[in-house]
Structures are given as C-alpha cells and as structure tokens.
Amino acid sequence: MDFFAVINGIFTTEVTNKIALYVDEPTEKTQKAVQGLVYTVFGGLMKRTTSEIGVNQLYNYLQKHNQAVSISDNLVSTLKDPSQINACIQNGNDAISHLLPALKSSIASMISSYAGIRNSSAISLLGITSTIVLDVLGKQVKEQKMDADRLAGFLFDQRESFVQKTPEALLPQLAEKLSLQQIVAGLAAPAKRIPETPVPIKVAPAPSPIANVFDSDRNGDSTDSPIGKIAVGVLIAALLGVGGYFVYQNSKSNSTDTETSQVVDATDSTSGSTSPTDTVARSLDVPVDTTRRTTPAAATTTAVAATSVAGKTATPAPAPVTPAAPVTGGGALSTQLKTYLSDAAAPKGRSFPLTGITFQPGSLSLASGSEATINELVTIMKTYPTAQIQLLGYANDAKGGLTNKSLSFRRVNQIKQQLITAGIDYVRIDAVGRGTGAPAKKPGDTTSVVKPGISKPKIDLRVVIK
C-alpha cells in the first residue's frame, strides 16, 4: 500500500476548496499547507515508533479511537457541517497533543511560514490533516489485523516514499523540527516490543533446623521455654567469639603490613632508590618517564622525600601538574580552521571546502579516505566548543527518482549524524542541501539567464559562530 497515494486520493480538489473556504485562505496555499502537514504528521508518528513506549501509545490510540464509520470515506459530507468540522479539528489537535507532545505549536508555526498562511489557519489544518492520517492508519490496522510491531513496520516501509515525496523546501525544516535526521538518513529502525514473561511463583522455603528448635513449643512463646533461652545464648556467644577472632586477625595483619612497608621504604631511601617518588607518581596516576634526565631541582625534591620517609616525619608533596598541551596535528583542513578560529579578529562566516569528503556517484556511500576528514572535523569541534558550523551540500549526480537537492541534503545530513554520534551537540551543526547550486527560475520567467550549477559534487563548511 502506498500510504501517500491514498491520502492524495482523499484530499481531492473539491475537498481542498471546501477546507480553504472554511479557514478563509487561498486554495493554492491551503493545498500546499495540507500537503506539508501530511508529511509532517506522518514523520512525527514514524519518529514515535522508534521507541517501545511510542509504538504502544500509537497502537493503543488507534485501537481506542477506531470508528465504525470512517471519516475519510465521508469527508465531503463532514465538511458541509461546520459543527462536524470543528469536532474534526478538535479531535485531530487532541491527538497531536497526545502523540506528539509539545510539538503542535512549532508544527503550526513551521507550516504557517512554509505555506504563507496565518498561524490560526495552520492550527485548524493540522487538526483536519491529523484526523485523516490517523483514520487511514486505523483502517489499515483493522483490515490487516496488525499488532503494534506490524504497525511500526508498516510506517517504516513508507520511509523511502516519505523522503522522496516530501517537498525539498520542507524536508530540512521538518527533519530538524521533529529530529528525523536518522530516519531521513536511513539509520533508524522501528522499536521491537519486549514480550511479557510470566512471573515465577515463589515457593516458601522449608523451615530450618534452628527454626524447629525455636518452634518446639507451638502452644506458647518459644523464647520463654528453657530450650529456647539456651539456644539464644549459645548462638549469641558463638557470634561474638567469631567476630572477636576476625578483629584480632585483621589488626595483627595490618600491623605486620605496616612494619614491612616501613622497612622497605627505609631500605630504598638508604640505598638511594627513587621508589618513594615513583610511589607518589603512581598514586596520582601520573606516568613516570624513567629515561628523562633528573634536573637538580628534581633531585633535591627526591632526596627530601626519601629523608622524610626514612625519618617518618613528613609525607612527600605531590608533583606539580603540567597543563595539557593544545591539540595539534591534522591535515590542511585542521591547519586552516585552527588558524581561523584562533584569530579573534577574523570575521565569522568564512567557508572552507571539505575536499577530503566525497561520495560514490549517485549514492550515500562515502568514498575511501572521507572518514579521516570527518574525524579531523570532530577533533576541531571538540577543541573549539563554542564554534557552530553549517554544512552545505551540492550534487549533480542524482539517479532514479531522487533529485539533486534531496541527494545533497541527505549527504550532508549523514555527515551531521556522524558528528553527533561522535559527541558533538546537534545544535552546533546545520545541514543544508543546495542541489546543483543553480538558482531556480520562477514559473513563466523567460527573460533571466539560466546560470550553470556546480561541475562536480562537493561539501562546503561555513563557520557561523566562532
């Protein structure tokens, strides 16, 4: 089943015109907003099914709100009655608040800007679209007799279609807003629910022999009987004896170890050994370089430490900690970026070509040697923790039904995910796909000259904040 083909068959021209009339927006903008909301809601639901809780929540919602009469089959009739439209909007917005908590306002704001409509209109359209999307999913669950795992699998079966059909102007914003980067890059998968295991029945343990002694007199209090009192006394005495023996042995062992340690330290200091200094170094987890020549100051410190140990009058002072040296090394990219980021007077916004990162033609497979440049970039981002960058992708080698702009976005998003996996905060990285880089002509414009795009695919890095 092609989910998006089914949805497009529901939002016909007649339906879109009635919705546009209700929200008082132009039909063209309404259609653009509804289309964007279909992919937004679907992407949000797909994101929810990457966790076990999200899978169960969506499945339970569809089961609970499964209606005998489908709204999507009677949408034209529903749109004729304002009260039914209001109910549809309310139900859809309640579902979004439940399934995608804290995202309703940000989704409406994104669609409002994307389609050029009022924010209030975007809220209403979100309610209608959510109702239809969930209704179609509910019908599929009912007809195919899906369980929660099959529902999650069905959503992810539509992933490739979702990435291909989402408008290129919306996909980057949508991926960022709903954290769909891993889904877009094909790195995420639906969660698998853990089957419930039966709880084992606990069997009460058999009474111990000691318990039998205390329970010899079942008609009275066992501790009041002579046998019970004798048993308690013997048990307490035995415990005290064993405890005292262990305390004695432990104190004796510690005393012996201390004397042995003092003798060894005194012997080492007398023979001129540097073992006391080495002991201090090991206690501080500081590696000792035995090949390094000892300076006069260091020799004096060692002698003082040895004397103090031998005389048992003082403990050696810890060695001063040397500050870590700044990160060095790397290739040409590291040299250029470090020079630029270290220069406070250099203006922000400079771009650097990532010539070391390339992809196999028409694919998302990194070419040999690209990982080294990505690792270089990770090191730089960790060395300069306040820096924020923008990855700009360009492509002219898209194949099949994939556009150059979509391919360029997916490539830079893949690099972004590798940086995030390496520990870089996603807020510090922006990923933008620019296709061939050639400006698009406006519809009907025959006067402007078409500018050529890039000669080969490439990735650029722009420093947004130093």
Side-chain angles (χ1 to χ4, degrees):
M1 170 190 175
D2 187 342
F3 179 84
F4 299 106
V6 173
I7 292 292
N8 290 334
I10 295 172
F11 286 105
T12 61
T13 303
E14 180 184 4
V15 168
T16 305
N17 288 336
K18 289 183 178 297
I19 294 175
L21 185 63
Y22 179 82
V23 297
D24 192 22
E25 295 284 359
T27 301
E28 182 180 352
K29 292 184 177 181
T30 301
Q31 185 177 13
K32 184 177 181 180
V34 169
Q35 181 191 45
L37 283 167
V38 167
Y39 296 109
T40 301
V41 173
F42 186 89
L45 297 180
M46 190 160 43
K47 171 68 175 178
R48 288 292 287 160
T49 56
T50 57
S51 69
E52 184 183 347
I53 294 177
V55 172
N56 291 329
Q57 191 178 32
L58 175 59
Y59 182 74
N60 292 336
Y61 180 89
L62 294 176
Q63 291 286 79
K64 183 178 179 180
H65 295 82
N66 194 5
Q67 302 180 15
V69 179
S70 173
I71 296 178
S72 57
D73 292 339
N74 299 274
L75 186 55
V76 175
S77 300
T78 300
L79 295 175
K80 293 179 180 179
D81 185 353
S83 62
Q84 292 189 42
I85 298 177
N86 289 333
C88 180
I89 293 172
Q90 184 63 45
N91 291 336
N93 283 325
D94 289 344
I96 289 298
S97 298
H98 178 68
L99 299 173
L100 305 178
L103 286 176
K104 184 172 71 174
S105 297
S106 58
I107 289 175
S109 177
M110 177 185 69
I111 294 298
S112 173
S113 175
Y114 166 70
I117 60 176
R118 299 186 304 273
N119 194 71
S120 58
S121 300
I123 291 286
S124 298
L125 295 176
L126 174 60
I128 295 173
T129 305
S130 303
T131 300
I132 300 303
V133 169
L134 291 169
D135 182 67
V136 173
L137 280 178
K139 286 173 58 179
Q140 190 69 13
V141 169
K142 183 177 180 180
E143 293 173 0
Q144 301 296 327
K145 297 181 180 179
M146 294 181 178
D147 59 9
D149 290 332
R150 286 189 61 195
L151 170 62
F154 170 78
L155 290 173
F156 268 82
D157 287 343
Q158 310 292 319
R159 189 201 70 84
E160 191 65 29
S161 182
F162 165 78
V163 174
Q164 296 285 348
K165 294 182 179 180
T166 301
E168 294 180 355
L170 180 63
L171 185 58
Q173 305 176 54
L174 180 55
E176 191 72 31
K177 188 74 66 176
L178 301 183
S179 300
L180 303 180
Q181 293 91 344
Q182 290 191 339
I183 291 177
V184 172
L187 303 176
K192 292 293 185 182
R193 296 184 303 162
I194 302 175
E196 296 182 0
T197 56
V199 180
I201 301 175
K202 295 183 179 180
V203 180
S208 63
I210 296 179
N212 291 337
V213 173
F214 287 98
D215 199 34
S216 59
D217 186 4
R218 296 182 179 273
N219 295 325
D221 189 352
S222 61
T223 57
D224 291 338
S225 66
I227 295 177
K229 293 180 179 179
I230 292 172
V232 171
V234 171
L235 182 60
I236 292 175
L239 291 175
L240 290 175
V242 172
Y245 175 77
F246 278 110
V247 170
Y248 170 75
Q249 289 294 330
N250 187 46
S251 61
K252 183 178 180 180
S253 175
N254 288 341
S255 176
T256 302
D257 291 343
T258 303
E259 292 174 1
T260 303
S261 176
Q262 291 174 351
V263 170
V264 172
D265 289 347
T267 302
D268 289 344
S269 62
T270 303
S271 62
S273 172
T274 59
S275 62
T277 305
D278 293 345
T279 303
V280 173
R282 284 195 297 272
S283 68
L284 294 175
D285 290 333
V286 179
V288 177
D289 186 358
T290 57
T291 63
R292 185 179 58 190
R293 295 181 60 187
T294 305
T295 61
T300 303
T301 303
T302 304
V304 172
T307 303
S308 299
V309 172
K312 301 182 180 59
T313 58
T315 58
V321 179
T322 304
V327 179
T328 58
L333 175 65
S334 296
T335 302
Q336 295 176 19
L337 275 174
K338 288 174 182 177
T339 302
Y340 172 70
L341 294 172
S342 301
D343 186 1
K348 63 182 181 182
R350 182 177 171 184
S351 295
F352 298 85
L354 300 181
T355 54
I357 302 177
T358 55
F359 289 83
Q360 299 292 344
S363 73
L364 297 176
S365 300
L366 285 166
S368 177
S370 298
E371 293 290 348
T373 303
I374 294 176
N375 292 335
E376 239 186 294
L377 187 54
V378 169
T379 302
I380 294 169
M381 294 293 285
K382 290 182 177 179
T383 306
Y384 299 91
T386 60
Q388 296 185 23
I389 62 173
Q390 186 179 61
L391 299 174
L392 304 172
Y394 298 86
N396 61 358
D397 55 335
K399 298 179 181 179
L402 194 65
T403 63
N404 286 316
K405 189 166 186 178
S406 179
L407 178 61
S408 63
F409 170 72
R410 294 174 69 178
R411 282 174 171 173
V412 290
N413 187 66
Q414 180 174 322
I415 298 172
K416 175 178 178 178
Q417 287 307 310
Q418 290 189 243
L419 297 178
I420 294 172
T421 303
I424 309 301
D425 191 344
Y426 77 94
V427 176
R428 300 174 58 198
I429 314 161
D430 189 18
V432 179
R434 290 187 170 176
T436 63
K441 291 180 62 176
K442 295 181 179 180
D445 184 5
T446 58
T447 59
S448 59
V449 179
V450 178
K451 297 182 179 180
I454 56 172
S455 58
K456 64 179 181 178
K458 65 174 183 174
I459 306 291
D460 287 343
L461 180 150
R462 178 174 173 269
V463 178
V464 180
I465 296 178
K466 296 178 61 178

